[in-house]
Amino acid sequence: MTYEQVKSLKSEDFKRLCGVRPDTFNEMLEVVRSLHRTKQKTGRPGKLSLEDQLLMTLEYWREYRTYFHIGQSWGVNESTAY
């Protein structure tokens, strides 16, 4: 499930999915965005948006699935899920 699909969930359902409320997720996203802006951009652009990367990380911490399984769920390679 991408962030675009998840952002319309009710607050309780969003928290059940990734472990934080939408407002907390948005605060976390702002921190990640500010760090991403200062980062030197080299190499290929990422397959996933910052929102999706954060959501994938939160799902990993919540469920402790393997990177292989997370990659399969998100349609990316296992190394991309790292």
Side-chain angles (χ1 to χ4, degrees), residues 7-68:
K7 71 180 181 181
S8 61
L9 291 175
K10 292 188 290 186
S11 180
E12 299 83 28
D13 293 336
F14 189 91
K15 184 175 180 184
R16 287 181 64 195
L17 178 70
C18 62
V20 296
R21 296 199 181 277
D23 56 339
T24 305
F25 181 89
N26 290 328
E27 290 176 20
M28 294 170 84
L29 186 59
E30 286 305 313
V31 171
V32 171
R33 278 193 182 130
S34 67
L35 292 173
H36 186 70
R37 282 186 211 116
T38 62
K39 184 177 152 184
Q40 182 180 9
K41 294 170 179 66
T42 61
R44 299 168 99 179
K47 280 189 161 189
L48 300 174
S49 66
L50 288 177
E51 293 89 349
D52 288 343
Q53 291 177 31
L54 178 58
L55 187 60
M56 181 190 299
T57 301
L58 292 173
E59 286 181 9
Y60 170 75
W61 287 341
R62 184 154 177 85
E63 300 170 10
Y64 289 111
R65 297 184 312 168
T66 66
Y67 290 119
F68 174 78

